[in-house]
Amino acid sequence: GISAITAADAAFAEAIGSNRRVVLPIIVEIPGPDGAPSRFIEPVQPLASAARALGHVVVRVDRDGLVRGFDHLEDEHGRHLLHLMEATAAVLRGDDALLREPRPASGAQIFTGSRDLISFAGPAGTYPSLSFADVAEGRVPPDLLAGRIVLVGWTANGMGDRFATPMAETMETVPGVELNAHYLDALLSGN
């Protein structure tokens, strides 16, 4: 379909581009439409091209219903599709070589390569969470965010982006954005 670029899209893309540290997600559909092995759904333009990097957000739940890690996705040529947090870690470390490596093309046969197990820093709620609306409306003091890595994602129950982890002592679940925070923390700390 055709989509119109709004003034808000253009302003958002400009803000993303001026930061040069924003990483946006790629949705991976396996199988893809019309018999294709896969399809990558990137953010809309101009957001995708304004981002410093893109990374997949595939979460594989183990047979017992828990999420313990993230899979490395690659094609038959060994080209790696970075996970959103791998790309974020590369941006934070200034690893431009990793970000420039060729990635699989949408429609390629995608395989699960190795897997990174997450070294969880604690149970649900380990990382502070703020309301996006409060941040956007200026109700959060800027010094609270200064010098921090900020991940944006759904946290509300009922959004479908909540997962059980080995850290849960009860039936608690962790929002996907917090699961990603654990993974990023582990990547940056070498755990």
Side-chain angles (χ1 to χ4, degrees):
I2 298 173
S3 63
I5 297 173
T6 67
D9 290 335
F12 190 32
E14 185 176 330
I16 288 171
S18 67
N19 182 287
R20 295 307 300 153
R21 293 173 59 138
V22 174
V23 182
L24 294 176
I26 298 172
I27 306 299
V28 179
E29 288 184 347
I30 300 173
D34 302 324
S38 69
R39 177 169 76 160
F40 301 166
I41 304 172
E42 294 187 5
V44 297
Q45 290 297 345
L47 303 182
S49 58
R52 176 71 179 93
L54 302 174
H56 81 81
V57 290
V58 172
V59 177
R60 181 171 55 90
V61 178
D62 291 339
R63 289 183 179 163
D64 63 0
L66 300 178
V67 173
R68 291 181 175 82
F70 288 103
D71 294 308
H72 293 267
L73 302 182
E74 55 190 43
D75 66 10
E76 66 272 13
H77 304 292
R79 291 180 293 225
H80 184 67
L81 180 61
L82 293 176
H83 183 275
L84 184 68
M85 294 301 104
E86 289 178 301
T88 301
V91 167
L92 293 170
R93 289 183 177 139
D95 188 351
D96 291 335
L98 182 61
L99 297 174
R100 283 193 302 268
E101 286 182 9
R103 66 175 189 181
S106 185
Q109 183 72 43
I110 299 296
F111 302 96
T112 299
S114 60
R115 187 173 205 212
D116 282 343
L117 294 177
I118 301 169
S119 176
F120 289 94
T126 296
Y127 298 95
S129 178
L130 300 169
S131 161
F132 181 82
D134 286 345
V135 173
E137 295 295 323
R139 293 187 291 266
V140 174
D143 61 327
L144 189 60
L145 298 174
R148 294 186 182 243
I149 300 166
V150 177
L151 304 180
V152 179
W154 301 107
T155 59
N157 284 323
M159 293 305 298
D161 189 29
R162 298 187 71 88
F163 304 94
T165 72
M167 295 302 294
E169 295 179 11
T170 61
M171 296 296 288
E172 69 187 4
T173 57
V174 173
V177 66
E178 187 174 345
L179 191 64
N180 281 299
H182 283 283
Y183 186 32
L184 180 61
D185 193 5
L187 287 170
L188 293 175
S189 66
N191 288 329

